[in-house]
Amino acid sequence: MSTIYTHILFFKKATLTILSLLLFGFTSFAQWSSIASQTGGVGNDGAVSFTIDGNGYTLAGSSTNKVYMYDTLADTWTVVDTVPVDMGHAFAMSFTVGGRVFIVGGDTSGVPVSTVWEYTPNGRGHFLQKQDFPAGPRDAGFGFGLDGYGYVGAGNDNVSLFGDIWKYDPLHDAWTHLSDSLLPEVLIFPTSFVVGHKAYILTGGTAPTGVNEVMDMWAFDGTTMTQKASYPGAGRQAAFTFSNNGYGYVGGGQANYTTNYNDMWRYDAANDQWSAAPGSPLLGGAWSSTFVVGNNAYAGL
């Protein structure tokens, strides 16, 4: 596993300039800048990260049981909560629906769990346990919210790799197992992003050992899966990703648990095209955390 960093950086889109440059065929104009390190000085990876009400959050991970909130105006971090004892702390699947984040599975000290928790930030947040993930203990999969529902899939239970997809209805606390034929491969530590009404699932390690990393990508609209242009970087798992202004961004990650990457690529969903974007200064960060506030994306840990 890669060295764990506590530094946080943000990726700032220079909106007026990027529009002008795109008109002349340039891929992007953007910059990375350093921000305050997360409070506590403890390296951490595999945390859940999300944005609610204009604030960014990181939750738990491999080295902490805290919930941190980042104030973008003050450039400060605040501990706002402690996660439940039996929640999976690291490498959980998560999604945000209606101002609530749902944390599915994950592991504690390397042991996957099947718990599902809802978290609603409100000063000090509130955790509410939901129905367990019906497929059993799971970590290292993907998760995203799409059109009012949550979706999780792929991952690992320390015995097998998975290529399934499950749909969660937050109104009824109910899970539906979608067809196993939707996702063509079993995957560990894939990544995903959402643009418009489609989610994009890509990269990750696959069978038989999980270190056979792929560059494949699929678009999912809640019903059907369509293969799209492959990720142009090297095959990898545990990459970081975010979407902003109609584009998806993917970078970092690791291959074979030995080779780290700090490149980054931008995906144009309208044209199914990839282009190079400014590389991450995270020195090859993998299992990192990202969130977007306004036109800034934040990445680190």
Side-chain angles (χ1 to χ4, degrees):
M1 186 176 279
S2 62
T3 303
I4 301 172
Y5 297 94
T6 59
H7 300 296
I8 308 285
L9 303 110
F10 75 90
F11 178 71
K12 184 174 183 179
K13 298 191 68 177
T15 306
L16 294 178
T17 308
I18 188 172
L19 291 175
S20 299
L21 290 174
L22 283 172
L23 290 174
F24 287 95
F26 291 92
T27 57
S28 64
F29 183 83
Q31 64 184 5
W32 286 99
S33 301
S34 180
I35 66 168
S37 294
Q38 190 166 275
T39 309
V42 177
N44 192 30
D45 64 1
V48 169
S49 52
F50 54 95
T51 304
I52 291 179
D53 294 335
N55 293 307
Y57 294 82
T58 67
L59 182 153
S62 61
S63 303
T64 182
N65 64 350
K66 306 298 184 185
V67 181
Y68 292 88
M69 183 184 76
Y70 179 69
D71 183 328
T72 61
L73 297 179
D75 188 24
T76 56
W77 293 90
T78 305
V79 175
V80 294
D81 228 313
T82 301
V83 304
V85 173
D86 55 350
M87 176 187 288
H89 287 188
F91 316 120
M93 293 81 73
S94 67
F95 51 84
T96 302
V97 177
R100 298 172 291 165
V101 62
F102 295 83
I103 302 97
V104 182
D107 69 55
T108 300
S109 301
V111 179
V113 300
S114 58
T115 57
V116 179
W117 292 84
E118 172 191 320
Y119 178 68
T120 306
N122 183 14
R124 288 189 63 83
H126 176 67
F127 285 96
L128 179 64
Q129 189 162 14
K130 313 298 286 187
Q131 180 184 173
D132 279 2
F133 182 54
R138 184 79 63 94
D139 67 2
F142 62 79
F144 51 82
L146 185 67
D147 295 333
Y149 295 96
Y151 296 86
V152 301
N156 155 77
D157 66 357
N158 284 356
V159 177
S160 302
L161 304 182
F162 298 97
D164 53 357
I165 300 181
W166 292 77
K167 178 180 180 179
Y168 179 72
D169 179 349
L171 182 62
H172 299 98
D173 187 23
W175 289 94
T176 302
H177 181 200
L178 304 185
S179 172
D180 279 338
S181 64
L182 282 172
L183 192 63
E185 295 176 299
V186 297
L187 293 170
I188 186 172
F189 291 116
T191 192
S192 62
F193 58 85
V194 173
V195 175
H197 296 282
K198 292 184 179 180
Y200 296 82
I201 303 163
L202 68 160
T203 64
T206 190
T209 62
V211 294
N212 179 26
E213 285 86 10
V214 298
M215 298 171 287
D216 299 331
M217 182 171 74
W218 303 270
F220 178 66
D221 63 5
T223 303
T224 60
M225 190 81 70
T226 306
Q227 189 154 15
K228 309 300 284 185
S230 295
Y231 183 66
R236 67 194 66 189
Q237 56 184 287
F240 69 80
T241 184
F242 54 87
S243 56
N244 201 9
N245 285 348
Y247 295 95
Y249 293 81
V250 181
Q254 190 177 92
N256 297 304
Y257 300 102
T258 57
T259 303
N260 284 35
Y261 299 101
N262 67 344
D263 57 343
M264 187 168 70
W265 298 81
R266 188 183 75 167
Y267 179 69
D268 177 350
N271 296 296
D272 189 27
Q273 292 180 345
W274 289 94
S275 57
S280 162
L282 290 175
L283 304 178
W287 295 276
S288 301
S289 298
T290 61
F291 53 81
V292 174
V293 179
N295 280 325
N296 294 335
Y298 298 77
L301 306 181

